[in-house]
Amino acid sequence: MKAHDGMYIDGTWRPAVGRDTIEVVNPVDEQVIGRVPAGTAEDVDTAVRAARAALPAWSATPPAERAARLAALRDVLVARKDEIAETVTAELGSPLKFSENVHAAVPIAVAGSYAELAATHAFEEKVGNSTVLHEPIGVVGAITPWNYPLHQIVAKVAPALAAGCTVVLKPAEDAPLVAQLFAEAVHEAGVPAGVFNLVTGRGPVAGQALAEHPGVDLVSFTGSTAVGRQIAVTAGAAIKKVALELGGKSANVILPSADLAKAVNVGVANVMSNSGQTCSAWTRMLVHRDQYDEAVALAATAAAKYGDRIGPVVNAKQQARVRSYIEKGVAEGARLVAGGAESPREQGYFIAPTVFADVTPEMTIAQEEIFGPVLSILSYDDEDDALRIANGTVYGLAGAVWAGEEAEAVAFARRMDTGQVDINGGRFNPLAPFGGYKQSGVGRELGAHGLAEYLQTKSLQF
Ligand code: NAP
Ligand code: MG
């Protein structure tokens, strides 16, 4: 795979300060497919300086010009979509079809949505005798994970550029190649030098240096709750704004009036998709006790059908982590009805599609984010019981409700402490605000709400 041996800073690829590199590994066959530089605090500092220097001119460009650059960026992503899909498949191990339909297609949709929003958003409004200006917040430090590597980059960089901010990105060390490809795309799109900068590197070195840098005005982070908490503490001390998109343990609530087979099958597909490495995955399925055995049998059949068709998880550490959760589930008394902790293949970081029945709300596998293809099925007695279980974790990122009538599902969804709910299998909407209640995060991404994260207001009184 193509890999740059430098950092994209101030419009050019320049050598890293240090010599340390990060090996990029294909999780399907455990082979090294490339190397990227491991950035240091010095690289981050150079990048932040470039972003600061570019800020006055970029923030003063008319929104129509920023919209034109974002439209050009979308067009480059479209022209290079096959290369994007192949790159994500190589570094994440996801099946090529999924990379095409999701890892490449969603960022194109999101970049396009911000090209349009930049052109149409009201960056000024009248409030009584005031004019309120919505101004860019400044230099953004973006730190992203590997599970939807390009989507998570575009979901931060596109609104930041639309707002008139400049950016330094520290992508995940497990998926830096698509981040380098993105930097090439930004360059091809004619975005001025210094507006977007890329520093590859390790979280505790480059990531931490970026989060701590006094030249960064907003830290936008997606990843684990543990690192997010640390970033919030650092930013809080500096009175710096943060946006945090963290973990989830979402509930898929199947009410008795629902089409049970459809709800179970879509629910299983949702969890197995991307090998379970989706922060908003519905990893807890809640079924009425009268329908429980039928749902468990349906889910076991559906999971077994996935068999070999799902990709591996991202690395050996994640594989070990997911396997230890499966072992814990068994140890705490849950009943395995599909999959298990044993690796289904000799090579690659694979986990068999796994389903647990007889899961109770306080079990570890019902409380903690596993980030693998593991579904827990819980039973409830009535709607209040279902609601108590659904809301009974520290998380609140997403969820689903199924019922015979939409209105019944909506009534339940209103009572859920969570940022997104799909009603009877509703589709992903790249314009809808995405983000968490409770410990799933702070702030919202995507659409106009995502743009607002990168703006601050100034009121002029007349
Ligand atoms: P992570 O450590 O939180 O990684 C997310 C990003 O933060 C990466 O770019 C990472 O760099 C960086 N980072 C790590 N330590 C940092 C620090 N001290 N300061 C600043 N940045 C830092 O997540 P992970 O280790 O990849 O995955 C662990 C668990 O997090 C998963 O099992 C899953 O539960 C959860 N997770 C959630 C999401 C989500 O979308 N909500 C995404 C990924 C993971 P490196 O790549 O170099 O580590
Ligand atoms: Mg990490």
Side-chain angles (χ1 to χ4, degrees), residues 22 143-147 152 170-174 201-209 211 221-225 227-228 230-231 245-248 278-279 317-318 321 369-371 397:
I22 292 169
I143 301 174
T144 55
W146 40 264
N147 54 326
Q152 283 143 339
K170 202 303 281 177
E173 67 186 86
D174 287 298
R202 297 192 171 86
V205 181
Q208 193 167 328
F221 170 84
T222 300
S224 63
T225 300
V227 175
Q230 203 178 320
I231 284 174
E245 211 271 272
L246 308 176
T278 304
C279 47
K317 194 175 146 204
Q318 284 299 110
R321 191 181 139 98
E369 183 172 53
I370 298 175
F371 237 59
L397 188 56

Side-chain angles (χ1 to χ4, degrees), residues 111-344:
S113 75
Y114 281 111
E116 211 169 303
L117 272 164
T120 55
H121 190 76
F123 288 95
E124 258 187 63
E125 62 178 316
K126 292 257 186 246
V127 179
N129 64 312
S130 302
T131 296
V132 180
L133 309 179
H134 296 258
E135 299 187 331
I137 209 153
V139 173
V140 174
I143 301 174
T144 55
W146 40 264
N147 54 326
Y148 289 89
L150 185 59
H151 168 63
Q152 283 143 339
I153 289 170
V154 172
K156 297 188 191 309
V157 177
L161 299 196
C165 294
T166 59
V167 179
V168 177
L169 168 69
K170 202 303 281 177
E173 67 186 86
D174 287 298
L177 300 180
V178 76
Q180 291 190 335
L181 198 163
F182 177 75
E184 289 179 3
V186 169
H187 191 85
E188 274 181 62
V191 173
V195 170
F196 170 79
N197 308 274
L198 171 70
V199 176
T200 52
R202 297 192 171 86
V205 181
Q208 193 167 328
L210 184 58
E212 286 174 350
H213 201 292
V216 169
D217 301 298
L218 161 70
V219 184
S220 180
F221 170 84
T222 300
S224 63
T225 300
V227 175
R229 181 174 286 121
Q230 203 178 320
I231 284 174
V233 167
T234 305
I239 322 287
K240 201 181 277 185
K241 200 179 161 190
V242 285
L244 303 172
E245 211 271 272
L246 308 176
K249 192 72 196 175
S250 298
N252 179 15
V253 181
I254 305 176
L255 296 175
S257 60
D259 177 341
L260 184 67
K262 185 176 176 198
V264 170
N265 285 323
V266 174
V268 170
N270 172 285
V271 173
M272 301 309 159
S273 161
N274 210 34
S275 306
Q277 303 168 119
T278 304
C279 47
S280 55
W282 312 329
T283 50
R284 295 178 298 148
M285 184 182 285
L286 275 55
V287 183
H288 190 272
R289 57 163 190 239
D290 293 344
Q291 299 174 323
Y292 191 75
D293 291 341
E294 192 186 347
V296 168
L298 285 165
T301 307
K305 234 179 37 200
Y306 277 85
D308 252 17
R309 284 189 296 129
I310 66 169
V313 296
V314 71
N315 58 33
K317 194 175 146 204
Q318 284 299 110
Q319 186 191 33
R321 191 181 139 98
V322 175
R323 291 173 68 178
S324 82
Y325 271 116
I326 296 173
E327 282 160 6
K328 201 162 214 163
V330 172
E332 290 183 8
R335 175 165 58 98
L336 264 179
V337 295
E342 257 149 69
S343 297

